[in-house]
Amino acid sequence: MNAASAKPSWRRRYVWRALAVLLAVAAAAWALPRLLFGPVVPVVSVVQRDFVQSVVASGRVQAPHRIDIGAQITGTVVSVPVAEGQTVRAGQVLVELDATELQAALQQALTAVAQAQAKLRQLHEVQAPVAEQSVRQAQATLEHARAQQRRNEELFGKGFIGQATLDESRKNVELADAQLRAAQRQLESARKGGSDVALAETALAQARANADAARARLSYATIAAPVAGTLIGRNVERGDVVQPGKVLMTLSPTGDTQLVVQIDEKNLALLAPGQHAIASADAYPLERFEATLAYINPGVNAQTGAVEVKLDVPDPPSALRQDMTVSVDIEVARREDAVLVPSDAVHRADTPSPWVLRVAGGRAQRQPVRIGLRSGGWSEVLDGLAPGDLVVPTGVTDVVDGTRVRPRAAAANPR
């Protein structure tokens, strides 16, 4: 090998050695701070501000109750003047049934009432006066028979008439007396409180009751809204034959709107009637409205582990509809100037001994803490941390108690 060919080989070895030295220096420059001062780790800061703990849940809009509207008689539908979704007033006609037979039945019952009234009036105006006249005539006949009997007794004593004539006069007295008693009974029966009047009054009352029943059945042919509200269901059309028990329409009454939501049972101890809440319909998320917790079901659903909660909405937005899905934030507690740490920096938060990795003096130190309220990604620290402290999120797994670290601010803390 000559000198000319050896010179490039030497230069190549020199270049490679230089590159290796530079790489070693770069590696040392990168690793030395990590060895001396630890790795760069993200940290989050402890803050102090007013804090509200809320329980978040979803549910549906529900009126206090629903009214299922049906027919009370069997009939054919002739008119349905309302539509589903329509707002109706109390007494507004919803369904009309064919009432031809019912009207005829009512007319027949009214005719029976008129006949009963005429019968009672006949007793008062005709039969009672006739009975009074019959009593007077019977009394006169009895007096005449008695007078005749007295004369016959005198004549019989003088021997002018025989025993047969005297017996005949006595029979006449007995007959006149019986006729008087019969006339008196007839008069008593025709007067107020008598049997004929009582029967006539009973017949009139029965006729009137039948007329009322016929009138009621006729009214059943017109189905009206019992209260004001919104029709949320309609299951009837013109020409349908309906029967009692079939739901024709469902009415959501006008009144206080309620939200029915399911709350995880672990939050049950935080809830109390009267708590304030902010809600929004999923269809209109920007239109938020106020609600108040009104009812907590005393039982827990064994399948879902949830508790049913109802909230009153005193001023519901106009867009709110029955069965809409809603999201609710129930305010269960409030703290002023609370010391807060992001919840994702707390280890074993659900145990009696939670702790954080606090960065102090260039090292990560295990710091026990006492946790209070928790909500919205934040945990209230009752003891163990101060505002401004830096803590390592739980997602950083290569840092343990005592590790040297170089803190680097993480992404913005949760709000």
Side-chain angles (χ1 to χ4, degrees):
M1 180 180 298
N2 56 30
S5 61
K7 186 174 181 179
S9 176
W10 178 85
R11 287 180 178 176
R12 284 194 297 271
R13 289 195 300 270
Y14 177 79
V15 171
W16 283 110
R17 288 173 181 173
L19 288 174
V21 170
L22 290 175
L23 289 174
V25 171
W30 177 82
L32 185 61
R34 182 178 179 88
L35 293 173
L36 294 177
F37 306 109
V40 176
V41 297
V43 294
V44 291
S45 59
V46 179
V47 299
Q48 186 173 27
R49 59 178 171 81
D50 293 346
F51 181 59
V52 174
Q53 182 183 21
S54 61
V55 173
V56 180
S58 62
R60 293 193 176 276
V61 178
Q62 186 180 86
H65 61 281
R66 302 184 189 187
I67 299 176
D68 289 332
I69 298 173
Q72 295 178 272
I73 57 174
T74 299
T76 302
V77 177
V78 296
S79 175
V80 186
V82 292
E84 186 174 356
Q86 180 176 337
T87 299
V88 297
R89 64 182 182 278
Q92 183 172 344
V93 176
L94 305 180
V95 181
E96 290 182 308
L97 305 179
D98 183 9
T100 303
E101 293 185 7
L102 299 174
Q103 289 172 341
L106 175 60
Q107 187 59 46
Q108 185 177 8
L110 293 176
T111 300
V113 171
Q115 291 175 343
Q117 289 174 331
K119 176 63 176 177
L120 185 60
R121 189 165 57 250
Q122 182 185 32
L123 284 173
H124 294 315
E125 297 176 359
V126 178
Q127 293 187 18
V130 170
E132 290 178 354
Q133 181 62 31
S134 297
V135 169
R136 288 193 292 269
Q137 290 178 352
Q139 287 175 337
T141 301
L142 178 59
E143 292 174 358
H144 180 269
R146 286 174 175 171
Q148 184 64 39
Q149 182 184 8
R150 288 193 296 271
R151 287 195 296 273
N152 287 342
E153 287 177 348
E154 292 177 359
L155 293 175
F156 179 78
K158 295 178 180 180
F160 294 144
I161 60 174
Q163 183 66 42
T165 302
L166 180 61
D167 292 340
E168 183 67 22
S169 64
R170 290 175 178 173
K171 290 180 181 180
N172 290 337
V173 171
E174 293 175 356
L175 178 60
D177 185 61
Q179 290 175 341
L180 175 60
R181 288 196 299 271
Q184 288 174 337
R185 286 193 294 270
Q186 186 66 34
L187 177 59
E188 291 173 357
S189 177
R191 283 178 174 176
K192 186 175 178 62
S195 59
D196 286 349
V197 173
L199 289 172
E201 289 177 343
T202 300
L204 177 58
Q206 182 64 48
R208 284 173 173 169
N210 292 338
D212 290 340
R215 191 178 291 109
R217 285 192 293 271
L218 178 60
S219 70
Y220 295 157
T222 301
I223 303 173
V227 295
T230 301
L231 292 173
I232 60 175
R234 168 180 160 170
N235 305 307
V236 62
E237 298 296 338
R238 182 177 179 182
D240 289 349
V241 176
V242 298
Q243 295 179 340
K246 179 183 177 182
V247 176
L248 306 181
M249 294 184 177
T250 301
L251 179 66
S252 176
T254 300
D256 292 340
T257 299
Q258 285 190 322
L259 309 179
V260 180
V261 300
Q262 304 296 322
I263 304 292
D264 194 300
E265 62 179 313
K266 68 182 181 181
N267 295 316
L268 182 58
L270 302 175
L271 302 176
Q275 289 174 336
H276 179 262
I278 297 294
S280 63
D282 289 1
Y284 305 95
L286 299 181
E287 190 171 354
R288 299 171 67 83
F289 53 91
E290 296 185 351
T292 303
L293 199 155
Y295 170 78
I296 302 172
N297 194 304
V300 178
N301 189 305
Q303 283 71 40
T304 64
V307 179
E308 184 180 84
V309 171
K310 295 183 180 181
L311 300 98
D312 289 335
V313 182
D315 188 19
S318 58
L320 210 60
R321 296 289 185 270
Q322 177 74 26
D323 293 326
M324 267 188 172
T325 301
V326 292
S327 298
V328 181
D329 292 354
I330 305 173
E331 181 181 319
V332 296
R334 179 183 290 270
R335 296 281 193 275
E336 295 183 359
D337 296 327
V339 177
L340 304 174
V341 65
S343 296
D344 61 3
V346 182
H347 296 259
R348 304 185 66 185
D350 294 324
T351 69
S353 304
W355 55 275
V356 299
L357 280 176
R358 181 169 66 93
V359 177
R363 291 183 181 274
Q365 300 174 351
R366 178 166 173 159
Q367 175 63 50
V369 292
R370 189 160 59 93
I371 299 300
L373 304 180
R374 289 187 291 176
S375 181
W378 289 96
S379 295
E380 179 190 19
V381 180
L382 302 177
D383 188 28
L385 292 175
D389 285 347
L390 301 178
V391 295
V392 181
T394 56
V396 180
T397 59
D398 57 346
V399 177
V400 296
D401 185 23
T403 302
R404 284 187 175 274
V405 295
R406 287 175 291 163
R408 174 177 58 84
N413 291 341
R415 295 183 178 182

